[in-house]
Amino acid sequence: MDLLHNTVQPYDWGSRTLLPDLMGVPPTGAPQAELWMGAHPAAPSRVSRGGVLAPLDRVVAAHPEGELGAVTVRRFGPRLPFLLKLLAAEAPLSVQVHPDLAQAQAGFAREDALGVPLDAPHRNYRDDQHKPEMIVALTPFRGLCGFRSAADAARLLDSLAVPALRPYVETLRGVPEPLALAEVFRAFLRPPAGLLDAVARALADAAAGPDEARLAAYDAVARAHPGDAGLLSALMLRQVELSPGEALFLGAGVPHAYLSGLGVEIMASSDNVLRCGLTSKHVDAEELARVVRFGAPPARVLTPREEEGEEVYPAPVDDFRLSRYLLRAGGPRRRVTVDAPQILLCTAGKVTVSSGSGERLAIGPGQAVYVPAGAETALEGVGTAFRATTGTAERSG
């Protein structure tokens, strides 16, 4: 097993305090948005090999079956199929959706055939993988996720009293759902001149009045991204608030945007993101229309189910499996040996990870350990440990 040396991503929307507070280190003054743990080639974790820090993706590539196990290699190829993160949002992220596996494979092949470079700003598909993801709140966490009903969206738009919104309200009330949602959403990607400013003014007025609680989040979006058409897409999405320990699973085609808070995020290791707005990056309205699922049910807030002392967050994919252990003084030693790779992350207290050979690594909040497939491993201590592995993992022994 190896202590991971991880990269912090300084995206503009990141919090300046949430990650430093968790890890007990002084803030740098710059945004610290995401701490990546895994083997994603854009920012792989590093592990010590012969006294030298080596990127985990290269370690895996050198001995895929030894690191990942035969089952993982057969199912996902010679790569770590998940990426674990600590995500700390202070400002709204972009409104985005992810393709399903068939869409990703077709889109990747199509753009390859057209000769679009992998690093081109207008490329939609960086790989041929889907990107389901899950976020577990460590602090109160707010986001937008999934479409409102057509009737609810009409009520919200109507309450802003912006005359230019009237045709969209009528569509939402007069056209069957989900056709109405699709028509309005597509129109909002290219709004007429003046509409964004009028909506932003109306939100500022409403957020200062009796509707403050209902509309403050959208007013914050408007202030953080002035003149961005993503504001209109955001208005069509449901607000979601997570308490610490609660989670959201986000499948293909579901538009979403995180707004604020600290959480543990896990996802399939992919770069396939189609953005609807609240970003300076490429927005492909036509491809979005193909990928977004307008009839999808709203995402449900999830709580973990207990399995012999392990709290498992259910996810309908096998790219990843996320769980946590709440370790207490005098509690049992938790054996976590499986036939798949895993990353063990401490988010509170002090956790000791031990191996069958007697090696022991003590980790504190924000520190993580990588464990190859089949390595005998156990957890103990006083604190909280999140455990990331594949959905195909089976306990060994």
Side-chain angles (χ1 to χ4, degrees), residues 77-96:
R79 63 185 185 90
L80 187 68
F82 62 85
L83 175 64
L84 187 66
K85 299 179 181 180
L86 281 169
L87 182 147
E90 188 173 282
L93 283 67
S94 61
V95 179
Q96 56 189 257

Side-chain angles (χ1 to χ4, degrees), residues 2 7 17 93 113 150 166 194 241 303 316 335 337 370 374 376 396-397:
D2 298 273
T7 297
T17 59
L93 283 67
R166 194 71 211 162
E241 295 188 5
T303 54
R335 190 168 184 230
T337 307
Y370 164 73
E376 187 175 338
S396 300

Side-chain angles (χ1 to χ4, degrees), residues 68-344:
L68 307 177
V71 173
T72 300
V73 173
R74 283 198 302 270
R75 172 65 181 84
F76 301 103
R79 63 185 185 90
L80 187 68
F82 62 85
L83 175 64
L84 187 66
K85 299 179 181 180
L86 281 169
L87 182 147
E90 188 173 282
L93 283 67
S94 61
V95 179
Q96 56 189 257
V97 296
H98 306 300
D100 63 26
L101 187 57
Q103 290 167 335
Q105 291 172 341
F108 182 76
R110 182 170 62 249
E111 291 183 331
D112 261 7
L114 291 172
V116 182
L118 280 176
D119 59 353
H122 63 285
R123 179 151 186 155
N124 293 315
Y125 297 95
R126 311 284 177 181
D127 53 63
D128 61 356
Q129 298 296 317
H130 64 168
K131 194 182 179 185
E133 61 188 49
M134 177 183 286
I135 185 84
V136 179
L138 295 180
T139 68
F141 195 95
R142 296 188 308 133
L144 305 173
C145 181
F147 285 105
R148 295 173 174 274
S149 68
D152 191 27
R155 280 192 296 271
L156 186 145
L157 296 181
D158 201 26
S159 72
L160 297 177
V162 174
L165 287 176
R166 194 71 211 162
Y168 307 107
V169 172
E170 292 174 356
T171 297
L172 290 166
R173 287 177 172 162
V175 175
E177 189 179 294
L179 295 178
L181 293 173
E183 183 175 336
V184 173
F185 182 82
R186 289 170 180 149
F188 277 175
L189 293 173
R190 297 192 180 99
L195 179 58
L196 282 172
D197 287 343
V199 170
R201 288 194 300 270
L203 282 169
D205 292 342
D211 272 345
E212 178 183 3
R214 188 168 65 99
L215 296 176
Y218 302 110
D219 180 47
V221 167
R223 294 177 187 275
H225 298 276
D228 193 303
L231 170 63
L232 302 177
S233 300
L235 286 168
M236 298 188 69
L237 304 184
R238 299 172 183 265
Q239 293 190 50
V240 179
E241 295 188 5
L242 302 179
S243 298
E246 294 181 331
L248 276 178
F249 173 81
L250 300 165
V254 178
H256 59 278
Y258 300 144
L259 301 178
S260 64
L262 176 67
V264 174
E265 186 180 38
I266 190 167
M267 60 187 62
S269 190
S270 168
D271 277 333
N272 287 327
V273 179
L274 290 106
R275 295 174 176 86
C276 314
L278 309 185
T279 179
S280 60
K281 296 182 179 180
H282 177 58
V283 175
D284 186 332
E286 291 184 4
E287 190 64 17
L288 271 170
R290 282 195 285 268
V291 170
V292 172
R293 296 182 178 177
F294 297 99
R300 294 183 297 109
V301 174
L302 303 174
T303 54
R305 63 172 186 262
E306 185 167 345
E307 298 181 3
E308 300 179 356
E310 180 184 25
E311 296 187 337
V312 181
Y313 289 91
V317 296
D318 57 8
D319 304 74
F320 60 78
R321 177 184 184 274
L322 185 65
S323 61
R324 71 174 181 178
Y325 287 88
L326 304 179
L327 303 170
R328 296 179 174 85
R333 187 168 177 263
R334 300 294 184 181
R335 190 168 184 230
V336 294
T337 307
V338 291
D339 62 352
Q342 52 187 325
I343 294 175
L344 305 170

